[in-house]
């Protein structure tokens, strides 16, 4: 990068930091995009003249609200709710709701900002948004979760709609929470409409939606491997996380002939040298989805190693798929993966790799895909759910899966087109430019709004 580009980026980022103090996650996300986009804008000055990047980093609307509810002891609890409606240049706001104690404005702005580019990459007409609350569903009864969700939706319903803003699930928000929120929305608005995605398949949901993010990241990694004449067959895979994304990434990688040897949660990780088979995965799904138990119970059940308080990146592997949370994989972890001859790192979570980790991957020419590209399968299938709702029909499992595979191949092709650097593909650069260009062109067409 030239000194002039770096100077421009520094001036831009100084302004962003001043406007968004104490928001480290959001600043990190903007910095990564700015590093890719400024050189591109020098070659395409119309975007710079129209101040497109300055406008994209500012959300169109930010909503913060009180969420009071009553727990099982009859005590009143109060949480904070958010919806960041980031950009609607190419379609209604679209992005998940996260219920977790770490939720704050910085986290949701980073997620909404990333979502804008991710949704653009899918080729579907969806803008970017994100929302949620610092409410923690862990340890809560179904009645308490329902009480919270109904209170949350009693404010959120004013700001969303099938042609305005279509939320979905995220960490802490699964089928149970989506059901409770959809029921409250329907009750308040007296209409049955596709206002949320991730719905149950018997009331407007799409087949493959629960699997989509995990399947999608594996499909994307498959395309990355193909550029080197490789495939998943016979490869050892390390996965972090044990929630929805991790579960289905494990399932699909195993179907394609790989051996997945790890899974994790906030307490540590399991290392199963024999691989997580279909039978073991069924146990893991029941443990996490039904019992809401801890990963150590898997180690006890199958007599494998449990490493407390650690992440799995020191385990030797061919492919790494981080599926847990932001900034879980740091520079030292990246060096360990490189030292162990890892070929591919495909992000299943949102921004799980720190800037230091990404620098290590790129300097060693390791195939690395950012989450905005490789984990776009979830929102892509949410978009397909929206299409099915609008058409008042349901596609078969195979139809949705084929469309998902096609979308992931298309995203990979766009990343290659804009990220090719000699015989190396810089997927971060490719994803940022491809996602930016579609949104930026729409903003140019729509004037200063």
């Amino acid at each position: 990068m030239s000194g002039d580009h770096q100077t421009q980026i520094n001036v831009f980022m100084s302004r962003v930091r001043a406007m968004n103090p104490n928001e480290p996650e959001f600043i990190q996300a903007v910095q990564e995009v700015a590093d890719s986009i400024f050189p591109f804008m020098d070659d395409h000055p119309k975007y710079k003249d129209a101040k497109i990047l300055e406008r994209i980093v500012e959300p169109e609307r930010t909503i913060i609200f009180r969420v009071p509810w009553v727990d099982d002891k009859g005590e009143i609890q109060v949480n904070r709710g958010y919806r960041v409606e980031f950009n609607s240049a190419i379609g209604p706001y679209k992005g998940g709701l996260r219920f977790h104690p770490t939720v704050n404005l910085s986290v949701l702005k980073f997620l909404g900002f990333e979502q804008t580019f991710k949704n653009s990459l899918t080729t579907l007409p969806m803008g970017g948004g994100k929302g949620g609350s610092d409410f923690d569903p862990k340890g809560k009864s179904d009645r308490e979760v329902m009480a919270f969700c109904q209170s949350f939706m009693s404010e959120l319903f004013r700001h969303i709609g099938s042609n305005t803003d279509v939320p979905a699930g995220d960490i802490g928000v699964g089928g149970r929470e989506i059901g409770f929120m959809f029921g409250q929305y329907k009750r308040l608005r007296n209409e049955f409409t596709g206002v949320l995605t991730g719905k149950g398949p018997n009331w407007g949901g799409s087949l493959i939606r629960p699997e989509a993010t995990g399947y999608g990241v594996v499909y994307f990694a498959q395309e990355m491997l193909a550029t080197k004449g490789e495939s998943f067959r016979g490869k050892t895979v390390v996965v972090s996380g044990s929630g929805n994304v991790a579960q289905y990434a494990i399932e699909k990688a195993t179907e394609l002939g790989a051996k997945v040897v790890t899974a994790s949660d906030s307490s540590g990780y399991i290392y199963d040298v024999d691989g997580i088979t279909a039978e073991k995965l069924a146990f893991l799904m029941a443990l996490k989805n039904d019992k809401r138990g801890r990963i150590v119970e898997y180690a006890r059940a199958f007599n494998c190693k449990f490493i407390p308080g650690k992440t799995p990146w020191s385990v030797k592997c061919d492919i790494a798929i981080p599926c847990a949370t932001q900034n879980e994989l740091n520079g030292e972890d990246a060096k360990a993966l490189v030292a162990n001859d890892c070929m591919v790192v495909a992000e299943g979570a949102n921004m799980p790799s720190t800037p230091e980790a990404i620098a290590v991957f790129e300097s060693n020419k390791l195939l690395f895909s950012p989450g905005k590209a490789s984990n776009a399968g979830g929102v892509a299938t949410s978009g397909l759910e929206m299409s099915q709702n609008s058409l008042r029909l349901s596609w078969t499992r195979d139809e949705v899966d084929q469309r998902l595979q096609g979308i992931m191949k298309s995203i990979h092709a766009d990343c290659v087109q804009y990220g090719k650097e000699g015989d190396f593909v810089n997927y971060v650069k490719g994803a940022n430019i491809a996602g930016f260009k579609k949104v930026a062109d729409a903003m140019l067409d729509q004037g200063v709004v």
Side-chain angles (χ1 to χ4, degrees), residues 304-370:
C304 69
K305 288 183 181 177
F306 170 68
I307 297 85
K310 301 288 186 182
T311 54
W313 310 121
S314 60
V315 175
K316 188 172 177 60
C317 65
D318 303 300
I319 301 161
I321 307 179
C323 298
T325 191
Q326 66 262 20
N327 292 326
E328 59 168 297
L329 196 163
N330 62 31
E332 292 304 311
D333 297 326
K335 289 174 185 175
L337 287 167
V338 170
N340 282 329
D341 298 321
C342 180
M343 301 165 56
V344 170
V345 177
E347 293 189 336
N350 292 302
M351 206 170 71
S353 305
T354 67
E356 294 77 17
I358 296 170
V360 171
F361 295 144
E362 291 182 347
S363 65
N364 286 276
K365 303 296 184 186
L366 186 145
L367 293 174
F368 168 75
S369 67

Side-chain angles (χ1 to χ4, degrees), residues 243-415:
N244 172 274
V245 181
Q247 291 169 14
Y248 289 109
I250 292 169
E251 180 176 276
K252 183 55 66 173
T254 304
E255 281 180 17
L256 295 176
K259 180 170 74 171
V260 182
V261 296
T262 67
S264 69
D265 63 17
S266 58
S267 66
Y269 74 92
I270 56 99
Y271 177 36
D272 189 340
V273 69
D274 296 324
I276 301 174
T277 61
E279 175 197 357
K280 293 174 179 176
L281 179 59
F283 175 90
L284 180 63
M285 287 179 165
L287 173 67
K288 286 296 180 179
N289 301 344
D290 301 328
K291 291 176 62 180
R292 292 178 166 79
R294 307 305 283 164
I295 197 77
V296 68
E297 296 178 48
Y298 176 103
R300 291 172 185 150
F302 298 107
N303 195 29
C304 69
K305 288 183 181 177
F306 170 68
I307 297 85
K310 301 288 186 182
T311 54
W313 310 121
S314 60
V315 175
K316 188 172 177 60
C317 65
D318 303 300
I319 301 161
I321 307 179
C323 298
T325 191
Q326 66 262 20
N327 292 326
E328 59 168 297
L329 196 163
N330 62 31
E332 292 304 311
D333 297 326
K335 289 174 185 175
L337 287 167
V338 170
N340 282 329
D341 298 321
C342 180
M343 301 165 56
V344 170
V345 177
E347 293 189 336
N350 292 302
M351 206 170 71
S353 305
T354 67
E356 294 77 17
I358 296 170
V360 171
F361 295 144
E362 291 182 347
S363 65
N364 286 276
K365 303 296 184 186
L366 186 145
L367 293 174
F368 168 75
S369 67
K372 65 170 65 74
S374 49
N375 83 1
V379 75
T381 307
S382 280
L384 298 178
E385 182 176 328
M386 291 166 67
S387 297
Q388 292 169 82
N389 290 166
S390 296
L391 294 166
R392 296 291 195 271
L393 54 77
S394 295
W395 295 326
T396 66
R397 182 181 177 87
D398 284 344
E399 280 180 296
V400 178
D401 197 25
Q402 287 298 315
R403 289 173 191 264
L404 172 61
Q405 289 185 57
I407 288 169
M408 299 314 293
K409 285 184 177 182
S410 173
I411 294 172
H412 182 268
D414 285 344
C415 290

